[in-house]
Amino acid sequence: MTQYLARAALSHRIFTGLQRRRLSALIGELADAWTAAEEGRLHDRRGHDRMRAAGAGPRHQLVFTDRVVAALVILRFQLPHTALAVLYGVDRCTITRAVHEIRPLLAARGFAVPSRPDVRLRTLADVFAYAAAEGVELRLDGTEVRVRRPRAGKPGRRAFVSGKMRQNTKKTTVVTDEKGRTLWAGAFRPGRMHDQTAVKTEGICDLFERYPQVKAKVDAGYRGLAKRFPDQVQAPPLKPRKDAPAEDVAAWEAARHQQSSERICVEHANAEHKQWRPLQRYIGRREYFAETYSAVAGLVSDRAAER
């Protein structure tokens, strides 16, 4: 199979998860950043400025468009790099190098904002500033992805064992708006860390104090935040005692159901992320997990922002 045929087939939405018009826009968006990074790499290798015109020298085995398509297919299906190397007629290390070049660019894009194509949110502080300016009520939730177990004898090995899943996981905090559109994904921590502790390490308490008008709905794992910021954070109501009257139990059930219905959209956003194979069970190196999740969540936010 020639590179042209491989590109024509693999650029289909089934493989990349993106419509062709969105794929074309993404390639144009990343081109300048990739070119600048490539020129910087070549300059560091030479140790001096370019002595020949741009474009001189040996050609790339994979042009930039093919590198983006290959990286998207890897993110979508977690295929072995060797499989794509066979399709493109190149060595496996060429595909690996392409993924390591494109994935950081995708992760650095940030998250799309509905009706604001010129704005991207990259930090939790950006999300709070956006929510305060636009009057958006946030939804906050933690999600876990299984990862490879650290080798025996390595310090901190138990830190990845999740108390809930009883598996080795990495934890991510996801923030959406009231329609389930991803605004931010971050606070990547080992699975043993509590959801609330993970997001507190990102300074969320300071942000709630700085933006008192921002409100959020959370699950029971963030009850401490709700207790500290009762006017801003809403958690599920506490369950009545066993000897509570029937009307109190019925009122609690109705309030819990209402709060769950308003918060469920963030669970739907988590499910959108996990339609991409690496976030169902991540089998790559753990140090690249945050980069992978950010890249996928940013791509998902582009589609969600159009809803």
Side-chain angles (χ1 to χ4, degrees), residues 1-20 23 65-66 69-70 72-73 76-77 79 84 87-88:
M1 178 180 288
T2 66
Q3 288 190 14
Y4 175 80
L5 292 177
R7 182 194 308 168
L10 295 176
S11 61
H12 193 276
R13 179 176 60 87
I14 294 298
F15 294 102
T16 64
L18 305 177
Q19 296 178 354
R20 290 190 189 272
L23 175 61
T65 297
D66 291 329
V69 170
L72 289 173
V73 173
R76 182 69 172 167
F77 292 109
L79 288 177
L84 281 184
L87 294 178
Y88 277 107

Side-chain angles (χ1 to χ4, degrees), residues 45-216:
R45 189 175 70 178
R46 290 190 305 264
H48 54 78
D49 292 338
R50 176 187 290 276
M51 300 180 66
R52 293 189 292 178
R59 303 292 182 182
H60 287 293
Q61 288 184 294
L62 280 183
V63 298
F64 175 68
T65 297
D66 291 329
R67 290 168 185 251
V68 175
V69 170
L72 289 173
V73 173
I74 294 293
L75 287 174
R76 182 69 172 167
F77 292 109
Q78 203 165 222
L79 288 177
H81 294 189
T82 306
L84 281 184
V86 170
L87 294 178
Y88 277 107
V90 297
D91 192 78
R92 178 193 59 80
C93 65
T94 302
I95 299 295
T96 301
R97 187 182 306 114
V99 172
H100 282 277
E101 291 176 0
I102 302 301
R103 187 176 54 202
L105 301 180
L106 293 172
R109 292 175 65 237
F111 305 90
V113 172
S115 304
R116 300 283 296 276
D118 56 328
V119 176
R120 308 287 296 191
L121 305 178
R122 292 179 172 82
T123 65
L124 192 56
D126 292 344
V127 175
F128 272 73
Y130 165 73
E134 301 293 333
V136 175
E137 187 177 61
L138 303 177
R139 305 293 189 271
L140 191 71
D141 191 31
T143 183
E144 295 182 78
V145 178
R146 290 179 61 188
V147 296
R148 286 182 174 180
R149 182 175 61 180
R151 67 176 185 270
K154 186 173 182 179
R157 189 174 188 233
R158 295 183 58 190
F160 291 91
V161 180
S162 168
K164 179 173 67 175
M165 296 184 65
R166 304 298 180 185
Q167 301 281 347
N168 287 267
T169 66
K170 289 275 282 187
K171 183 165 293 183
T172 304
T173 302
V174 178
V175 179
T176 71
D177 62 8
E178 59 272 12
K179 293 186 178 180
R181 296 174 290 205
T182 301
L183 300 179
W184 183 76
F188 304 104
R189 299 293 186 272
R192 194 176 186 87
M193 184 176 291
H194 193 275
D195 292 356
Q196 183 172 256
T197 305
V199 77
K200 278 185 175 181
T201 60
E202 291 291 317
I204 195 171
C205 295
D206 293 337
L207 292 173
F208 273 121
E209 293 174 354
R210 190 187 311 171
Y211 298 98
Q213 67 273 44
V214 174
K215 300 183 183 300

